[in-house]
């Protein structure tokens, strides 16, 4: 007959430690709301809402591609336009970029960081204000 791994005198302390560990896990489960179903279920956790913004005067084309309605070609045009003519003063200056119209500008406006000199109005996302020409 093979010799046991633990002697009888060693088995008793190991059994006590195991029982104590199981009891403490049961206490933790009950204290955390286990029987009442209050434990957090990761599958049912609400998704986090986040919003990113882009500075159109410093963003490279990979950052601009993340904006709605802006693909790689249009993002590269924005960067080329900025390099040729200098920084944008207002979000409306994007209308000078070939391929950007009013609808596209309206869709990306909430993702644009305020430009220097733009005033922020409480309750409105940055870039949502229009400046009057003149």
């Amino acid at each position: 007959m093979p010799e046991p791994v633990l002697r009888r005198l060693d088995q008793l302390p190991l059994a006590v430690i195991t029982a104590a560990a199981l009891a403490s896990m049961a206490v933790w489960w009950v204290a955390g709301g286990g029987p009442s179903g209050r434990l957090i279920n990761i599958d049912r956790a609400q998704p986090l809402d986040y919003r990113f913004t882009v500075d159109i005067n410093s963003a490279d084309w990979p950052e601009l591609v993340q904006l709605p309605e802006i693909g790689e070609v249009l993002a590269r045009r924005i960067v080329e336009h900025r390099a040729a003519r200098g920084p944008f003063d207002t979000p409306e200056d994007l209308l000078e970029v070939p391929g950007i119209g009013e609808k596209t500008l309206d869709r990306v406006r909430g993702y644009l960081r305020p430009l220097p000199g733009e005033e922020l109005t409480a309750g409105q996302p940055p870039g949502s204000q229009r400046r009057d020409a003149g």
Side-chain angles (χ1 to χ4, degrees), residues 2-113:
E3 190 173 315
V5 176
L6 295 175
R7 297 178 298 163
R8 278 233 187 260
L9 292 175
D10 294 334
Q11 291 177 2
L12 182 61
L14 184 60
V16 169
I17 291 171
T18 303
L22 288 173
S24 64
M25 285 191 295
V27 168
W28 175 84
W29 182 72
V30 170
S36 64
R38 292 182 304 151
L39 291 175
I40 296 174
N41 187 343
I42 299 299
D43 294 336
R44 288 191 266 159
Q46 294 296 323
L48 297 176
D49 185 30
Y50 66 93
R51 188 141 179 95
F52 68 93
T53 58
V54 174
D55 181 355
I56 57 173
N57 285 326
S58 65
D60 289 328
W61 72 265
E63 293 173 84
L64 295 170
V65 168
Q66 303 303 314
L67 298 172
E69 304 293 321
I70 305 291
E72 181 180 343
V73 172
L74 194 51
R76 288 182 184 270
R77 281 189 204 150
I78 293 170
V79 172
E80 290 168 5
H81 184 276
R82 185 180 65 213
R85 299 194 182 171
F88 297 101
D89 294 325
T90 67
E92 286 75 20
D93 290 347
L94 284 171
L95 294 172
E96 298 173 6
V97 177
I100 295 184
E102 287 288 335
K103 288 182 180 180
T104 303
L105 179 60
D106 287 340
R107 287 190 179 112
V108 301
R109 188 179 299 277
Y111 297 94
L112 302 178
R113 287 190 190 139

